[in-house]
Amino acid sequence: MTESLDLSRRSILKFLSAGPLLPLAGGSATATLLAACGGGDTAAAAPQLMSVTFSGMAAPTLADAAKMATTTVGSTLNATYSDGKTQPYQLAYQTFFVTGALVANGSGGTILAGGYYDINNKPIVDKTDAGQRQFFSDCPDGTSLLKLAAPTVAGVKGNTVFAVVQFEYTTRNVKGDSMYGMLPSPIAVLTLDQDKTTGALSLVKYHNVNTSGVNGLWITCGASRSPWNTHLSSEEYEPDATAIASNTQFANFSTNLYGDAAKANPYHYGHMPEITVNPDGTGSIKKHYCMGRISHELVQVMPDERTALMGDDATNGGLFMFVADKAQDLSSGTLYVAKWNQKSADNGGSATLSWIKLGSATSAEIKALADTLKAADILSVKTADPADATYTRIPFSGKTNWVKIVPGKEKAAAFLETHRYAALKGGSMGFTKMEGTTVNAKDKIAYSAMSYIQAAMTNGSGGISVKGPNAGVVYALNLKAGQVDDSGAAINSEWVPVDMAAVPALVGEDLAKADALGNLANPDKIANPDNIKFSEKLRTLFIGEDSGLHVNNFLWAYNVDTKTLTRLLSTPSGAESTGLHAVDDINGFAYIMSNFQHPGDWDAALHAKVQATLDPLIKANYRDRFGAAVGYLTGFPTLS
């Protein structure tokens, strides 16, 4: 089953998630939702859903190469109802668009899906292309689905639903040169027409959000929907301000954004953007400068609507927590970094966690510092031992730094040089590629995806020394109230992680040598987990891969009660599973959003056995490998 639209299905996308399933506050119970889906006077008499299981699919092989070159769904959802009957539902996949398509702009014209724009909202063109075509992304990522009370978009025949989609980067220009991180990341609001009978979604309007007020966006990766119905974005791999003069990537980014290689300020990037959708299908944006300048990945706000646990997709990264001063407001609060107190080293290791306070601030005051300070105003950094006791040796991005904070600039260091300051304060800065975070609210357990366990996480440089696997793990973190920071002061949250250990069934398995297809990790286990989300109603953790060890990346479902892991979906070979988001109830229907990025991004060590066969197929499917799909899973009929 591929990305062709299949509107004949009665596609209420029941409770599964191509990654996330974060319910809205006050969402209906499962039985109520299903009754609502029935509609009319028959709803009250309809059997109630009692339980859900998934039947998985085999990994595609070259025996059917076409399935390796597209999104393939061979899984089923098995629903058991109160009348004792079990009904299987075949899942499928539909797209809104493949990037590079011209789609409706809501005012009678068209706009390029995934297109890039400069600071003046003018299209950025690929000068290596003879036709000077506008750049568009092959890397759609974080997605949120939501509704508003009084939408005003014209042309909707059913219910108005909105999706926010961000685009992380574009892989290459027409010439074939890398464009990674050299273009300002676009973000779009999609207005969708929801069929009132079937729940099917169709695109009515695509709006490119104006990001000029926040100086553009830098490498937007994972995202989540906040409990207050906004889109929480990300900016990962913050540019190193201490070495910015030699950073050609950042100079190209500045040139494409501002038309001036020297104009962009590195301290404006590496923060947490938040997008609010407007009733007319547009969006407004702000950046929260007080949540730490780190390699922001998918952030999870806890049920208190104040505590945020953040992924830090970096080498020598940390586990960071932000506790806002007010609910539903991330513009001020306190930032903490975890101390890993190791208990074991095998299978990802385990530890108890303690917390170090880095500082309290408002976004406005840190933005003012970012506007005015250079790196040398905040700290001195040496990359070789200065033989000076006033400097402290720390790990930073896989290397060693010696640092000294300028007196009086501790707050600026905490929020603008967060990785270095956290290491200086004793935080465990040894994690490698910490990706998505999510929460099981009922059991008060957070989950964190560690895409790779390697280098800094195994050598002890950042206070962590575990044995792998390179294929990564998903950690469980118990959450508790009554915790204190390193000074003994109370942490004002009931959702503080106190320990960290891998979920046994969610530990990847490295292979000593590649299998017959080329996999470097066991294809029947997770490898390099990235986007994750937990469904309270299904008691299921959904996991999407960004693997350099699986020939195809997969989407998995893991039931935390039965401990069963099931493969649900396979992305095109070379592509990453992204944009994972599911919503329990949008006007009585549930949805699972799922994108992928960079199809056919070949790695000789991994794809040598399949590239020759799959490359022409993927080129034919995805605009010569310049396009990627934004869409959602289907396959669950309404209950009549």
Side-chain angles (χ1 to χ4, degrees):
M1 290 145 196
T2 66
E3 285 84 0
S4 58
L5 286 174
D6 184 9
L7 297 182
S8 64
R9 291 179 177 271
R10 294 175 60 79
S11 49
I12 168 175
L13 306 158
K14 251 14 170 193
F15 299 105
L16 112 104
S17 148
L21 217 151
L22 180 63
L24 282 169
S28 59
T30 301
T32 305
L33 170 59
L34 287 172
C37 294
D41 295 334
T42 63
Q48 296 182 354
L49 178 66
M50 303 304 293
S51 64
V52 165
T53 60
F54 296 101
S55 296
M57 56 176 280
T61 69
L62 287 175
D64 191 347
K67 289 184 178 180
M68 296 186 69
T70 190
T71 299
T72 302
V73 183
S75 51
T76 57
L77 185 154
N78 306 298
T80 300
Y81 296 98
S82 56
D83 61 2
K85 295 180 180 179
T86 298
Q87 176 67 47
Y89 297 104
Q90 183 70 43
L91 303 176
Y93 186 66
Q94 296 177 354
T95 61
F96 298 124
F97 53 77
V98 171
T99 58
L102 290 173
V103 296
N105 65 6
S107 57
T110 59
I111 187 172
L112 186 69
Y116 286 88
Y117 298 86
D118 65 17
I119 199 69
N120 298 309
N121 292 302
K122 301 297 184 184
I124 302 174
V125 300
D126 184 349
K127 295 179 181 178
T128 72
D129 174 52
Q132 300 280 286
R133 76 182 189 185
Q134 182 182 359
F135 273 113
F136 58 88
S137 177
D138 63 332
C139 294
D141 207 301
T143 301
S144 298
L145 192 72
L146 54 92
K147 67 175 183 176
L148 301 179
T152 61
V153 181
V156 177
K157 298 178 181 178
N159 299 313
T160 302
V161 177
F162 299 102
V164 183
V165 182
Q166 59 196 43
F167 301 88
E168 185 177 357
Y169 61 94
T170 197
T171 302
R172 66 189 73 81
N173 59 23
V174 167
K175 182 182 176 183
D177 299 327
S178 173
M179 291 300 298
Y180 178 77
M182 298 182 188
L183 296 165
S185 294
I187 190 162
V189 175
L190 312 183
T191 301
L192 306 171
D193 190 340
Q194 181 193 54
D195 186 287
K196 292 184 178 180
T197 302
T198 68
L201 301 173
S202 57
L203 181 64
V204 171
K205 175 182 178 179
Y206 178 111
H207 172 78
N208 186 69
V209 176
N210 179 2
T211 64
S212 60
V214 294
N215 306 107
L217 297 176
W218 169 268
I219 312 180
T220 56
C221 194
S224 64
R225 190 185 64 190
S226 73
W228 51 94
N229 215 31
T230 60
H231 176 87
L232 302 180
S233 181
S234 57
E235 290 185 310
E236 67 176 5
Y237 308 130
E238 79 283 6
D240 183 0
T242 71
I244 207 65
S246 60
N247 189 330
T248 56
Q249 177 198 42
F250 191 70
N252 282 314
F253 170 86
S254 183
T255 298
N256 285 311
L257 178 60
Y258 288 106
D260 182 341
K263 188 166 184 179
N265 175 355
Y267 284 138
H268 286 158
Y269 308 100
H271 302 287
M272 226 293 299
E274 181 175 13
I275 291 82
T276 299
V277 176
N278 301 320
D280 64 354
T282 62
S284 60
I285 186 169
K286 55 188 172 184
K287 282 186 187 179
H288 297 294
Y289 281 71
C290 54
M291 297 181 73
R293 185 170 171 268
I294 61 173
S295 187
H296 280 285
E297 258 281 358
L298 197 158
V299 60
Q300 175 66 57
V301 177
M302 298 298 164
D304 64 354
E305 302 185 341
R306 294 173 54 251
T307 305
L309 197 62
M310 297 177 282
D312 183 22
D313 186 3
T315 299
N316 290 115
L319 175 61
F320 291 93
M321 177 178 65
F322 178 78
V323 180
D325 293 331
K326 300 177 182 178
Q328 303 189 5
D329 182 357
L330 301 176
S331 66
S332 67
T334 302
L335 181 65
Y336 301 88
V337 66
K339 178 77 172 177
W340 166 279
N341 308 296
Q342 188 159 312
K343 296 170 60 180
S344 65
D346 293 329
N347 298 316
S350 64
T352 60
L353 299 174
S354 52
W355 290 91
I356 298 169
K357 180 181 176 180
L358 299 181
S360 299
T362 68
S363 183
E365 66 179 312
I366 303 304
K367 170 66 162 56
L369 296 176
D371 289 344
T372 56
L373 297 179
K374 304 296 184 185
D377 300 323
I378 301 172
L379 76 175
S380 175
V381 176
K382 306 294 184 183
T383 56
D385 190 346
D388 181 340
T390 64
Y391 284 80
T392 301
R393 186 178 188 267
I394 64 164
F396 178 79
S397 194
K399 300 177 182 178
T400 299
N401 280 185
W402 287 261
V403 301
K404 179 170 60 174
I405 306 299
V406 173
K409 299 299 184 184
E410 289 79 9
K411 179 171 284 192
F415 291 93
L416 296 178
E417 288 287 344
T418 307
H419 277 131
R420 289 185 171 103
Y421 190 74
L424 189 65
K425 295 288 285 183
S428 294
M429 302 300 290
F431 294 107
T432 51
K433 293 191 68 62
M434 182 185 292
E435 305 269 1
T437 53
T438 191
V439 64
N440 168 355
K442 179 181 178 182
D443 297 334
K444 294 197 76 170
I445 297 173
Y447 299 98
S448 182
M450 199 68 60
S451 187
Y452 285 83
I453 294 179
Q454 58 188 6
M457 201 164 171
T458 61
N459 64 20
S461 65
I464 303 169
S465 183
V466 299
K467 295 181 180 179
N470 189 45
V473 306
V474 175
Y475 288 99
L477 300 84
N478 288 297
L479 307 169
K480 292 187 178 180
Q483 303 305 300
V484 298
D485 66 21
D486 56 315
S487 72
I491 299 175
N492 188 18
S493 172
E494 296 183 353
W495 299 85
V496 178
V498 297
D499 54 23
M500 189 168 178
V503 179
L506 302 180
V507 177
E509 180 184 334
D510 303 329
L511 297 179
K513 63 178 181 179
D515 68 11
L517 198 62
N519 289 296
L520 301 171
N522 187 340
D524 292 324
K525 296 185 178 182
I526 65 164
N528 312 122
D530 192 323
N531 284 222
I532 58 174
K533 272 296 178 182
F534 184 74
S535 165
E536 296 286 344
K537 300 220 166 59
L538 293 187
R539 302 282 296 160
T540 298
L541 180 67
F542 296 96
I543 307 154
E545 297 180 337
D546 175 14
S547 179
L549 304 176
H550 279 170
V551 174
N552 287 81
N553 280 316
F554 306 122
L555 168 69
W556 302 87
Y558 173 71
N559 186 288
V560 298
D561 297 321
T562 66
K563 317 299 184 188
T564 302
L565 180 67
T566 306
R567 183 190 290 108
L568 300 180
L569 175 151
S570 174
T571 65
S573 186
E576 171 188 348
S577 175
T578 64
L580 310 178
H581 180 63
V583 182
D584 286 353
D585 187 355
I586 298 283
N587 302 314
F589 299 95
Y591 294 95
I592 305 96
M593 316 308 291
S594 179
N595 310 330
F596 63 80
Q597 58 180 225
H598 54 70
D601 187 13
W602 304 120
D603 182 329
L606 178 64
H607 298 110
K609 298 177 181 179
V610 303
Q611 181 176 346
T613 300
L614 299 184
D615 190 60
L617 300 176
I618 288 179
K619 285 181 175 178
N621 288 340
Y622 302 111
R623 307 190 194 283
D624 204 26
R625 294 194 302 134
F626 286 99
V630 173
Y632 65 107
L633 283 169
T634 74
F636 208 115
T638 56
L639 182 64
S640 58

